[in-house]
Amino acid sequence: MPIKESELILNPDGSVYHLNLKPENISNTIIFVGDQDRVEKITKYFDSIEFTTQKREFKTQTGIYKGKRLTVISTGIGPDNIDIVMNELDALVNIDLQTRQPKKNLTSLNIVRVGTSGSLQHDIPVDSFVLSSHGLDLTGLLHFYQIDPYTNPKIESAFINHTNWHSNKSRPLFIANSSTLQNHFSSEKTTTGITATAVGFYGPQGRVLRLPVQDADLNTKMDSFDFENNRISNLEMETSAIYGLSKLLGHHALSLNAIIANRANGTFSKDPKKVVENLIIYTLDKMITL
């Protein structure tokens, strides 16, 4: 049965609703960034750019870097935007937009997030790169899907007990990355850790301006959490959603973060633009052989 127009919304030109993209506009190898201005900070290194579009915060450019066709997409901030981007990208490659029927032969995308983040550990300094082994979902988004086959109940229960997780909050989930991409992108330049994904920037990440938070010690508890030598390395707002939806949809995903702040030490990078630039170049050069 065709997917209803109200469920898969297309623009008058046949492109998917939010991303404004058609299937031919994207590569199967995709870089995610949060900030739309960061798209061109990556594509300035391309040999050529074949396609550009933007709708709201979703900016896309596709081109060639050292012989490799790549797409760069800005997702904006937060897991709700990732829900839009992941589902619409999958629709582009795995649903026939003319018949509105899922394809019999499915395509698996390679998706690498290049982001910025704050470290939760004293020994993960600013200006370093973190490769996320898992996304710790603190947002609740993935509970709207049939995510159980990809969760890790033992570590989740250990985290709930360690933090005395409030029962009114959604159950935290630990979702693994693509081991294929981890093996390809890891090196002596990367530190591997669990990336916690918050649903907001202020209260959900423990920042207090005028509003008190439910658990003022949560960051400290996450700092000290250790499960079989797996620690929570950093905190941001997208990784777990990317990992969870990629698992569900059959794509490969990896999150790489430039550490521009250390929450444990209270330090901030002296040159955050430079560390992001270094991570961009590192990612692009690894992608050539992907």
Side-chain angles (χ1 to χ4, degrees), residues 102-253:
K103 296 178 180 179
K104 292 182 179 179
N105 297 316
L106 300 180
T107 296
S108 181
L109 300 171
N110 289 314
I111 298 167
V112 178
R113 177 181 185 266
V114 175
T116 57
S117 185
S119 169
L120 293 177
Q121 301 292 339
H122 289 280
D123 60 341
I124 301 178
V126 296
D127 302 335
S128 62
F129 303 158
V130 165
L131 183 154
S132 306
S133 64
H134 295 75
L136 164 56
D137 188 72
L138 306 177
T139 75
L141 170 70
L142 296 176
H143 287 289
F144 287 90
Y145 296 94
Q146 296 178 15
I147 193 65
D148 286 357
Y150 302 105
T151 61
N152 291 274
K154 287 185 178 180
I155 188 171
E156 289 158 10
S157 295
F159 179 81
I160 288 168
N161 292 333
H162 179 79
T163 59
N164 192 26
W165 192 254
H166 198 284
S167 60
N168 285 345
K169 297 177 180 177
S170 61
R171 178 182 173 87
L173 302 174
F174 284 78
I175 310 295
N177 66 16
S178 162
S179 58
T180 300
L181 293 186
Q182 175 169 328
N183 291 337
H184 187 82
F185 282 87
S186 63
S187 74
E188 72 284 351
K189 294 183 179 181
T190 60
T191 298
T192 302
I194 298 167
T195 295
T197 299
V199 72
F201 184 77
Y202 288 97
Q205 294 191 37
R207 292 183 173 90
V208 177
L209 302 184
R210 289 202 316 115
L211 298 176
V213 296
Q214 182 271 321
D215 186 352
D217 298 320
L218 181 57
N219 280 6
T220 301
K221 294 173 185 176
M222 289 197 293
D223 263 0
S224 59
F225 179 71
D226 190 311
F227 182 84
E228 298 177 354
N229 295 319
N230 292 297
R231 300 183 303 162
I232 299 170
S233 55
N234 60 310
L235 179 61
E236 46 79 274
M237 296 177 63
E238 289 83 27
T239 293
S240 69
I242 296 170
Y243 282 9
L245 291 170
S246 292
K247 293 288 186 185
L248 289 164
L249 292 165
H251 304 301
H252 293 280

Side-chain angles (χ1 to χ4, degrees), residues 89-100:
L89 281 178
D90 182 75
L92 288 173
V93 296
N94 288 322
I95 296 174
D96 185 320
L97 300 184
Q98 300 296 321
T99 65
R100 295 180 168 272

Side-chain angles (χ1 to χ4, degrees), residues 47 51 62 86 95 275:
D47 303 314
F51 176 80
T62 296
M86 288 298 305
I95 296 174
V275 66

